[in-house]
């Protein structure tokens, strides 16, 4: 059975019926390239159909291998088709045209699908929407940077489009659907109700909401249910993630991310009940304090109802022409109706999680909205307070959707704004510790104490947490662990503790002042707990962008690696086993990213080159990190193959050098040891090759089943990496076969020597062999004597000759008798020496340095083929 065409990579469907449907709808011959690689998003994939007149259509359908639980994908598809049709009919917003769709499997194609027009232009994501002031090291991103003027132009257009959506009003809040009697609003499928696996939580309210309050409360409640039941990922309320905008240069920012990772590793902070409890308190605070002060029923109420809102505006979903005019907006699956004031929030670019606070961009969005409002026949009166509430809702949505990097900053800003709106005349209770005080007060309530105990019952076993800590700090080192423990201690002592940028900058300054003093866990010196606590209390909120570039380019291990072949010239019987470890950690959305490389096969300069290439690959697939890791691993395995092949060459040169020694007899034992080391090297190399094969098989399996692929270019990139790996792997196999040949030569040499010594014979045969060897010596002496004394040979009656011959025969018999009497004792003595060889400093051995970093002494002669029941030793 042949391999399925690429067009069926994500799902099986009837391609013939699809082509017939397209031809029937348009009345023109249609074709589809079955070898094309589908373009993929989070839940759906797309392929292109081509008509004879050059027109292209898009076939969009759910991916069978990465669909959320239940029938959410089908419901999202039905809502997207209905929304596209409605928006295209009632606005001038450029969206794809829907020609046909089916939200069930009950159709001729066999799967739910939308048949739509192709978006003109190219994605804005091909350009670099840079959001931080300092450059990263390493190569620049693909695509030229977007200028400030172009950003303003795009934001102005988005403001105009938001104003057009502002007029499309519906009686309730939910997702738009199409029925027999027209369009209607169904359950709400917004990101806050289904993202991050929230679709599996049945307790989340999704029914159409009749008021802003119901809608916002449902989102706050979903945040609590998420904290109680789902993984928290990188979200730690009291430890917001570092972002580049908080630091003066990339090195300082990167150091802060390391310290953040060190801190949250202590005690498994992210998934701990303490962190989950904080988010539960935040949910209560939102419902009791923030939401009542965020709602203003009289605002934006010149028209009743709730307008449509696109929740997923990003550079990937905006198509533009060469003049930065928006030519199409795609991916309306998560669109829903929303409170009118939510449309006044500035869209986040390049990603929805990015809070846009730059005044030129926010002003451009507002002027676009107001300009469209002036042209509209239905004008809406907007006040400055409406725009403030719009920005307030921006923070609220990023917090409850778990789609931000600094949750605490958003919560604190919301709390302070709510307090200010409640009583603008009395600012006494809005100190910089207001939020911390509110959370501490709530934590002491009886129901909160009961909730904390309930969450603590589900904590991981302490042994598992400690084991994970050990593995992490075995790599990072004792000094970083000591610093993290100090921060964790300060956190436990101060209920208002917040590990934010002030803490990481302070630690960096103290360490610089101390000259990078080494710390041991619990040792005095360095950063004190008091210093940590003094800067980790809660402070005023800084208005900062939440964007974080992913991944940090140029990350590499700065530790110098050992030489490629650690051959000790004084102890020729010692070798080292080298290792390479690669770890890429981060969530599937490309946040909290860390790359760790521990390599003894590569030098530092090589590692820099490899990490730059890895960063380029990972940056291409910023939102598909689970899949992007696969080609990166394939790439590194290719370089490992080349490094191992070089190891083979170096080792063989060393062995050849031993063989060509002028003092061959004196070096014979060392040469045999060298061959035994070569055999051990061959065995290690076999394991390495096996690991490469397993890794390659695993990566390709991950890519082939389509469970992780989320990008249109992923398949081609992975295929290219696999081809490069194949070439390098063949180079390694060639080197391995050469090593194997030399090992076999060594076996033959050893067997030739040991056959003379009677290594594989029984005791009686061994005795006979020893006698034969003894005769060789006297025979040689007699021959030499005879050559220099010809008269003896010519005169066989010479008494000297007979005396010499008789003495040799008599001595041989006596020696044989002694050897026969003492052979058992000699054998026992030999076995004793072998058993106690570890206590003898002169006994030959070599060292293996394994993955754990510990050295293990391995005896050269321990190979069963050389020493054991059937061997007498070389």
């Amino acid at each position: 059975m042949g391999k399925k065409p690429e067009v069926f990579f994500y799902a099986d469907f009837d391609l013939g019926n699809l082509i017939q449907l397209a031809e029937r709808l348009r009345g023109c011959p249609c074709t589809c390239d079955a070898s094309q690689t589908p373009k993929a998003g989070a839940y759906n994939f797309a392929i292109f159909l081509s008509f004879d007149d050059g027109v292209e259509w898009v076939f969009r359908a759910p991916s069978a291998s990465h669909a959320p639980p239940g029938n959410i994908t089908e419901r999202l598809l039905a809502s997207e088709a209905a929304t596209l049709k409605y928006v295209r009919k009632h606005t001038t917003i450029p969206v794809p045209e829907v020609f046909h769709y089916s939200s069930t499997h009950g159709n001729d194609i066999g799967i739910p699908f939308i048949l739509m027009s192709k978006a003109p232009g190219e994605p804005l994501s091909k350009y670099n929407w840079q959001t931080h002031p300092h450059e990263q090291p390493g190569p620049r991103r693909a695509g030229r940077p977007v200028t400030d003027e172009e950003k303003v132009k795009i934001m102005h257009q988005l403001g105009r489009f938001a104003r057009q959506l502002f007029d499309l009003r519906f009686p309730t809040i939910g997702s738009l659907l199409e029925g027999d009697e027209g369009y209607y609003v169904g359950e709400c499928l917004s990101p806050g109700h289904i993202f991050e696996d929230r679709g599996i939580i049945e307790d989340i309210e999704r029914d159409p909401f009749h008021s802003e309050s119901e809608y916002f409360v449902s989102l706050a409640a979903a945040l609590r249910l998420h904290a109680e039941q789902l993984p928290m990922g990188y979200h730690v309320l009291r430890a917001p993630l570092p972002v580049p905008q908080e630091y003066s240069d990339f090195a300082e920012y990167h150091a802060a991310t390391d310290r953040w990772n060190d801190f949250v590793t202590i005690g498994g902070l992210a998934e701990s009940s303490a962190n989950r409890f904080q988010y539960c308190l935040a949910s209560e605070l939102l419902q009791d304090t923030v939401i009542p002060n965020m709602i203003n029923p009289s605002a934006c109420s010149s028209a009743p109802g709730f307008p449509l809102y696109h929740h997923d505006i990003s550079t990937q979903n905006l198509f533009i022409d060469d003049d930065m005019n928006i030519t199409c907006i795609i991916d309306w699956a998560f669109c829903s109706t929303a409170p009118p004031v939510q449309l006044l929030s500035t869209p986040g670019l390049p990603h929805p999680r990015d809070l846009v606070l730059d005044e030129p961009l926010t002003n451009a969005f507002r002027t676009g909205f107001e300009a469209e409002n002036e042209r509209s026949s239905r004008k809406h009166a907007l006040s400055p307070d409406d725009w403030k509430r719009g920005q307030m809702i921006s923070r609220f949505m990023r917090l409850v959707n778990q789609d931000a990097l600094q949750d605490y900053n958003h919560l604190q800003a919301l709390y302070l704004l709510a307090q200010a709106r409640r009583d603008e005349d009395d600012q006494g209770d809005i100190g910089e510790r207001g939020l911390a005080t509110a959370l501490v007060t709530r934590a002491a309530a009886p129901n909160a104490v009961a909730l904390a105990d309930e969450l603590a019952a589900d904590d991981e076993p302490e042994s598992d947490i400690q084991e994970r800590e050990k593995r992490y700090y075995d790599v990072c080192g004792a000094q970083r662990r000591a610093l993290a423990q100090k921060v964790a201690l300060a956190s436990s002592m101060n209920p208002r503790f917040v590990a934010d940028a002030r803490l990481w900058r302070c630690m960096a300054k103290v360490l610089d002042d101390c000259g990078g003093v080494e710390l041991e866990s619990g040792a005095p010196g360095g950063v004190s707990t008091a210093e940590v606590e003094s800067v980790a209390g809660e402070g005023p909120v800084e208005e900062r962008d939440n964007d974080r570039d992913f991944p940090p380019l140029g990350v590499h291990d700065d530790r110098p690696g050992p030489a490629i072949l650690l051959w000790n010239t004084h102890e020729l019987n010692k070798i080292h086993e080298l290792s390479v470890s690669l770890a890429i950690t981060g969530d599937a959305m490309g946040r909290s990213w860390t790359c760790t490389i521990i390599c003894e096969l590569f030098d530092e300069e090589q590692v820099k080159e490899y990490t730059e290439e890895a960063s380029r690959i990972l940056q291409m697939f910023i939102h598909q990190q689970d899949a992007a890791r696969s080609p990166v691993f394939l790439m590194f395995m290719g370089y490992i193959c080349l490094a191992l092949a070089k190891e083979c060459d170096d080792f063989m040169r060393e062995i050849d050098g031993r063989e060509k020694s002028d003092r061959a007899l004196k070096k014979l034992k060392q040469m045999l040891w060298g061959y035994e080391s070569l055999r051990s090297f061959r065995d290690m190399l076999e394991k390495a090759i096996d690991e490469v094969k397993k890794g390659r098989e695993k990566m390709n399996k991950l890519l082939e089943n389509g469970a992780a692929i989320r990008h249109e270019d992923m398949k081609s990139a992975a295929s290219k990496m696999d081809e490069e790996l194949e070439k390098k792997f063949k180079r390694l196999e060639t080197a391995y076969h050469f090593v194997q040949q030399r090992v076999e030569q060594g076996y033959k040499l050893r067997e030739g020597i040991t056959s003379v010594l009677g290594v594989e014979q029984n005791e009686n045969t061994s005795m006979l062999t020893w006698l034969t060897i003894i005769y060789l010596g006297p025979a040689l002496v007699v021959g030499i004597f005879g050559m220099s004394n010809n008269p003896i040979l010519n005169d066989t009656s010479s008494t000297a000759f007979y005396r010499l011959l008789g003495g040799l025969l008599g001595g041989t018999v006596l020696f044989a008798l002694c050897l026969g009497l003492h052979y058992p004792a000699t054998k026992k003595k030999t076995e004793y020496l072998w058993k106690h060889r570890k206590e003898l400093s002169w006994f030959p051995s070599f060292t293996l340095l394994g993955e754990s970093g510990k050295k293990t002494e391995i005896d050269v002669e321990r190979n069963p083929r050389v020493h054991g029941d059937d061997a007498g030793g070389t």
Side-chain angles (χ1 to χ4, degrees):
M1 183 177 179
K3 184 180 179 181
K4 292 193 303 184
E6 291 295 319
V7 75
F8 302 115
F9 189 81
Y10 292 99
D12 293 326
F13 57 92
D14 194 319
L15 181 58
N17 286 342
L18 172 60
I19 294 176
Q20 291 178 11
L21 174 62
E23 290 177 342
R24 186 170 65 253
L25 291 172
R26 193 162 185 271
C28 182
C30 176
T31 59
C32 178
D33 181 9
S35 65
Q36 65 176 295
T37 300
K39 299 181 183 297
Y43 297 146
N44 303 286
F45 72 92
I47 62 173
F48 298 101
L49 307 178
S50 300
F51 293 92
D52 287 356
D53 59 358
V55 174
E56 288 186 289
W57 282 6
V58 175
F59 174 77
R60 177 178 166 93
S63 172
S65 58
H66 194 72
N71 62 341
I72 290 180
T73 304
E74 288 79 1
R75 288 179 282 165
L76 286 170
L77 187 144
S79 177
E80 180 175 20
T83 303
L84 286 172
K85 294 174 68 176
Y86 193 90
V87 170
R88 187 175 181 87
K89 180 179 180 180
H90 294 89
T91 72
T92 61
I93 300 173
V95 298
E97 180 179 0
V98 176
F99 303 111
H100 192 80
Y101 76 95
S102 174
S103 60
T104 68
H105 289 76
N107 57 66
D108 295 336
I109 311 302
I111 58 175
F113 70 93
I114 301 178
L115 201 54
M116 66 178 76
S117 61
K118 181 181 178 181
E122 60 182 1
L124 181 58
S125 58
K126 289 191 175 181
Y127 295 84
N128 181 9
W129 189 287
Q130 190 177 6
T131 58
H132 59 87
H134 50 266
E135 290 286 347
Q136 307 178 58
R140 296 178 62 87
R141 294 183 179 181
R144 67 170 179 82
V146 181
T147 66
D148 293 340
E149 293 76 11
E150 291 171 336
K151 291 180 181 179
V152 168
K153 182 176 183 178
I154 290 172
M155 280 296 183
H156 184 88
Q157 295 174 78
L158 291 177
R160 290 178 46 233
F161 297 152
R163 174 57 186 84
Q164 293 188 44
L165 293 176
F166 200 76
D167 279 340
L168 307 182
R169 300 298 179 104
F170 296 87
T172 56
I173 297 177
S175 297
L176 190 63
L177 297 169
E178 186 179 19
D180 296 336
E181 299 181 358
Y183 296 94
Y184 66 96
V185 175
E187 64 178 336
C188 190
L189 301 176
S190 70
H193 292 95
I194 63 171
F195 266 15
E196 303 290 346
D197 291 331
R198 293 184 183 182
I200 65 176
I201 302 179
E202 297 179 354
D203 294 336
I204 294 180
E205 293 289 339
R206 300 184 185 88
D207 291 336
F209 305 105
H210 294 82
S211 67
E212 294 184 14
S213 178
E214 291 180 2
Y215 171 68
F216 290 134
V217 168
S218 72
L219 290 169
L223 174 63
R224 171 168 176 164
L225 291 171
H226 183 126
E228 292 177 346
Q229 302 181 34
L230 297 175
M232 297 304 296
Y234 61 86
H235 294 279
V236 181
L237 188 66
R238 294 300 188 99
L241 269 166
V243 294
Q245 292 76 12
E246 298 173 320
Y247 303 93
S248 59
D249 55 47
F250 184 83
E252 186 181 6
Y253 158 65
H254 185 246
T257 60
D258 283 344
R259 296 189 179 102
W260 183 90
N261 279 290
D262 296 345
F263 170 57
V264 300
T265 300
I266 299 294
L269 183 58
E271 301 299 335
S272 68
S273 60
N275 183 48
R276 295 177 183 274
F277 180 59
Q278 290 294 315
Y279 276 97
C280 291
L281 295 179
S283 172
E284 292 183 0
L285 187 69
L286 291 174
Q287 296 181 57
D288 298 344
T289 304
V290 175
I291 293 176
N293 290 282
M294 192 169 62
I295 296 172
N296 185 358
S298 61
C300 303
S301 59
S302 54
F306 304 98
L308 283 172
Y309 178 73
H310 193 307
H311 291 272
D312 196 18
I313 293 292
S314 68
T315 55
Q316 288 187 328
N317 294 333
L318 297 178
F319 282 70
I320 58 171
D321 60 17
D322 295 338
D323 297 324
M324 288 293 170
N325 297 309
I326 297 178
T327 57
C328 194
I329 301 178
I330 65 170
D331 204 353
W332 293 72
F334 307 105
C335 179
S336 72
T337 56
V341 71
Q342 189 169 347
L343 275 73
L344 303 183
S345 58
T346 306
L349 289 177
H351 188 274
R353 68 168 173 263
D354 301 316
L355 185 66
V356 175
L357 297 172
D358 295 341
E359 188 172 348
L361 299 184
T362 57
N363 288 340
F365 177 78
R366 294 176 185 179
T367 56
F369 192 101
E370 292 170 349
E372 189 70 20
N373 188 47
E374 290 297 323
R375 287 195 292 265
S376 175
S377 58
R378 292 181 294 178
K379 293 181 175 57
H380 296 272
L382 300 175
S383 67
D385 185 66
D386 292 333
W387 291 106
K388 290 180 181 179
R389 290 176 59 242
Q391 290 303 98
M392 191 174 181
I393 291 176
S394 293
R395 291 186 178 275
F396 176 86
M397 298 304 295
R398 285 163 175 78
L399 174 60
V400 297
N401 290 354
Q402 292 277 271
D403 194 26
L405 302 179
Q406 299 186 318
D407 293 338
Y408 190 88
N409 292 1
H410 291 308
L411 181 62
Q412 188 175 31
L414 289 169
Y415 181 74
L416 296 179
L417 290 171
Q419 292 285 76
R421 289 178 62 84
R422 187 175 64 180
D423 189 0
E424 296 182 356
D425 296 331
D426 183 9
Q427 301 290 327
D429 295 333
I430 312 179
E432 65 176 23
R433 296 183 181 272
L435 174 60
T437 301
L439 292 176
V440 170
T441 302
R442 288 176 178 274
N447 61 333
V449 173
L451 174 62
D453 294 339
E454 181 180 348
L455 293 173
D458 293 330
D459 272 339
E460 285 186 280
E462 187 66 25
S463 58
D464 293 348
I465 298 175
Q466 291 178 354
E467 177 62 24
R468 192 161 54 248
E469 280 186 34
K470 181 180 182 301
R471 291 198 303 267
Y472 178 85
Y473 286 109
D474 282 347
V475 175
C476 297
Q479 180 181 9
R480 286 175 57 174
R481 184 172 195 167
L483 289 172
Q485 287 175 333
K486 288 178 179 291
V487 178
L489 178 62
S491 173
S492 64
M493 297 170 60
N494 181 4
R496 295 181 173 85
F497 183 92
V498 180
D500 59 9
R502 295 169 300 168
L503 172 63
W504 311 130
R505 288 195 294 259
C506 175
M507 290 177 63
K509 184 178 185 302
V510 172
L511 289 174
D512 289 341
D513 293 342
C514 294
V517 62
E518 289 288 333
L519 298 177
E520 294 293 338
S521 180
V527 182
S528 69
T529 304
E531 289 173 318
V532 171
E533 193 172 354
S534 67
V535 298
E538 188 178 354
V541 175
E542 298 180 17
E543 299 283 337
R544 57 174 73 101
D545 189 346
N546 282 334
D547 172 67
R548 174 184 180 183
D549 283 334
F550 173 84
L553 299 176
V555 179
H556 64 280
D557 192 348
D558 291 326
R559 299 177 304 167
I564 289 182
L565 182 63
L566 301 181
W567 187 285
N568 191 321
T569 56
H570 300 291
E571 300 178 72
L572 299 176
N573 52 334
K574 290 192 176 183
I575 62 173
H576 283 244
E577 179 181 356
L578 306 182
S579 63
V580 176
S581 299
L582 169 66
I584 303 176
T585 57
D587 66 297
M589 295 301 293
R591 298 164 291 195
S592 185
W593 180 87
T594 301
C595 178
T596 303
I597 303 171
I598 307 170
C599 57
E600 296 173 304
L601 288 172
F602 309 139
D603 59 30
E604 183 177 353
E605 292 303 319
Q606 286 177 306
V607 172
K608 287 181 180 179
E609 296 176 5
Y610 303 159
T611 51
E612 288 177 358
E613 186 172 354
S615 297
R616 179 184 59 80
I617 298 171
L618 291 167
Q619 185 61 55
M620 288 172 60
F621 314 112
I622 184 170
H623 301 311
Q624 298 82 36
Q625 293 311 301
D626 49 351
R629 294 187 187 102
S630 299
V632 171
F633 274 107
L634 291 174
M635 179 197 71
F636 269 94
M637 283 193 293
Y639 287 125
I640 289 172
C641 289
L642 290 180
L644 289 174
K646 187 177 186 301
E647 284 283 286
C648 296
D649 295 339
D650 292 343
F651 208 111
M652 294 312 304
R653 281 195 296 270
E654 187 68 30
I655 293 296
D656 291 340
R658 301 298 166 195
E659 291 181 346
K660 296 176 182 178
S661 173
D662 294 335
R663 294 175 294 173
L665 292 177
K666 186 176 181 181
K667 296 294 183 179
L668 177 61
K669 187 175 181 180
Q670 292 181 347
M671 187 183 71
L672 290 175
W673 288 349
Y675 270 113
E676 195 58 30
S677 299
L678 182 62
R679 180 199 61 78
S680 300
F681 179 81
R682 188 273 316 273
D683 294 342
M684 299 174 196
L685 190 60
E686 284 182 348
K687 294 179 181 179
I689 291 176
D690 185 58
E691 291 300 321
V692 171
K693 289 180 179 179
K694 290 179 181 178
R696 182 182 181 185
E697 180 181 355
K698 184 176 181 180
M699 293 302 104
N700 287 327
K701 184 177 180 181
L702 176 65
L703 293 168
E704 287 174 2
N705 64 22
I709 299 180
R710 299 288 167 269
H711 195 280
E712 59 187 67
D713 298 325
M714 175 63 68
K715 191 69 182 348
S716 60
S719 177
K720 180 180 178 182
M721 290 300 166
D722 191 61
E723 291 175 0
E724 292 295 324
L725 172 59
E726 176 67 20
K727 296 177 183 177
K728 296 168 184 174
F729 185 71
K730 287 182 178 179
R731 168 72 177 86
L732 175 59
E733 284 187 323
T734 301
Y736 168 75
H737 291 315
F738 184 60
V739 171
Q740 178 65 14
Q741 291 176 0
R742 299 306 301 275
V743 170
E744 293 175 356
Q745 293 175 7
Y747 283 157
K748 292 178 180 179
L749 175 62
R750 185 199 64 204
E751 290 168 358
I753 296 173
T754 56
S755 64
V756 175
L757 299 177
V759 173
E760 297 181 357
Q761 300 170 3
N762 56 32
E763 293 184 8
N764 294 330
T765 308
S766 296
M767 289 291 296
L768 181 61
T769 304
W770 283 110
L771 290 175
T772 303
I773 294 173
I774 292 171
Y775 270 111
L776 293 176
L780 181 63
V781 173
V782 171
I784 296 174
F785 186 84
M787 291 173 63
S788 59
N789 298 276
N790 290 330
I792 295 179
L793 297 177
N794 297 329
D795 185 5
T796 57
S797 62
S798 173
T799 57
F801 176 79
Y802 287 113
R803 288 176 182 177
L804 176 61
L805 184 60
L808 289 174
L809 291 174
T812 299
V813 172
L814 291 175
F815 182 80
L817 291 175
C818 294
L819 187 62
L821 293 174
H822 293 282
Y823 181 78
T826 303
K827 180 179 179 182
K828 184 178 297 184
K829 178 63 176 178
T830 301
E831 292 175 348
Y832 174 82
L833 292 175
W834 171 254
K835 182 177 181 180
H836 298 277
R837 64 193 182 282
K838 296 296 183 182
E839 303 170 8
L840 304 176
S841 60
W842 52 267
F843 203 93
S845 65
F846 63 86
T847 302
L848 295 180
L849 181 59
E851 294 180 359
S852 63
K854 297 180 180 179
K855 293 183 178 180
T856 305
E857 296 292 334
I858 306 296
D859 298 292
V860 172
E861 286 90 343
R862 195 165 185 173
N863 180 13
R865 299 186 61 180
V866 180
H867 203 297
D869 295 336
D870 62 343
T874 41

